[in-house]
Amino acid sequence: MGAFSGKTAVVTGASSGIGRAVALRLGEAGAHVFAAGRRTDALAGTVEAVTAAGGAATAVAAELRGPGAVQGLVDLAMTDTGRLDVMVNNAGVSFRGSLADGDPETWREMLEVNVLALTVGSQAAVRAMRACRAEGHIVNISSSASRLEAPGFYGATKTAVNAITASLRRELEGDPIRVVTVIPGPTATNLARHHPDLLRGVANSLGEELGPPSDGLFPTEALDRAAAAGPVLASADDVARAVLFAITQPIDLSISEISVQPARRPPVTA
Ligand SMILES: NC(=O)c1ccc[n+]([C@@H]2O[C@H](COP(=O)([O-])OP(=O)(O)OC[C@H]3O[C@@H](n4cnc5c(N)ncnc54)[C@H](OP(=O)(O)O)[C@@H]3O)[C@@H](O)[C@H]2O)c1
């Protein structure tokens, strides 16, 4: 019997990276995982991995910027299983660009995914957990970018995540629902592939050249090399294990924040 046998979890952004790793850990622990994202092929890979690990998973193709999408996701989990025990608001996007020159449409997308979908997902989860009288956990994925002196627009959305999650934690003190902010540092996922300075620095430290990106993404091999370079990038599973730690504590204990950082700072080159 796993810690989450007979329980239901929803994970947004489960088609890759941290979300997929969390879905896998939850599935291994016995949860029925509702795994959401836009890329159906990648979601099928998540379901396959969870099933191979002995868990149960349902893929849910959803554009979280759409009206009602996150509520619909929670409603589906409730309709299919009658309960919701764990909600992991993980989906996120990070676009580069300065405040002086950045594209406001990228700001809108970061706000809608990183902040609004997470907040609506949290609200939907509270209502569902109360309805089924679950001892529940809400996990909101922030970023160490929120702690920078000059966090930029992406970091600002994660600062909002920290503030909203702390407020929800306070609001729910009287409920058997715990709320944790998970703050990853640089992690070897697709998201890190959007940060050429980081990857170039890691590649240079290995004495390698990082080729040009294709369609805005660096080749997977570059990412693999970066992750293999040692503790300058966390792995998605490092973050997933921290999530599992937080949500397997007694319900009368609040793990309010967990920061998951690689042991060394990445070398950054121009
Ligand atoms: N990697 C890092 O260094 C790092 C550091 C700190 C925090 N984080 C945070 O970790 C979380 C997960 O990111 P990751 O690093 O694992 O990157 P990732 O592999 O790119 O995962 C992002 C996930 O979000 C989903 N997503 C994005 N926009 C969406 C939308 N409009 N509708 C539905 N789903 C959407 C993506 O699914 P589809 O593409 O299939 O839609 C994907 O599954 C994010 O909140 C990110 O800000 C990452």
Side-chain angles (χ1 to χ4, degrees), residues 169 178-181 242 245-247 249 253-258:
R169 184 180 306 121
R178 302 285 73 87
V179 183
V180 59
T181 316
F245 171 80
I247 65 178
Q249 301 306 307
L253 175 70
S254 173
I255 303 293
S256 53
E257 288 186 2
I258 298 190

Side-chain angles (χ1 to χ4, degrees), residues 13-19 36-39 62-65 90-93 109 113-114 141-144 154 158 184-192:
S15 48
S16 59
I18 292 168
R38 290 166 300 181
R39 290 167 293 154
E63 161 57 81
L64 293 185
R65 299 173 72 191
N90 162 76
V93 280
E109 184 169 345
V113 180
N114 301 1
I141 304 296
S142 177
S143 167
S144 57
Y154 169 72
K158 294 299 189 175
T187 307
T189 68
N190 268 341
L191 201 86

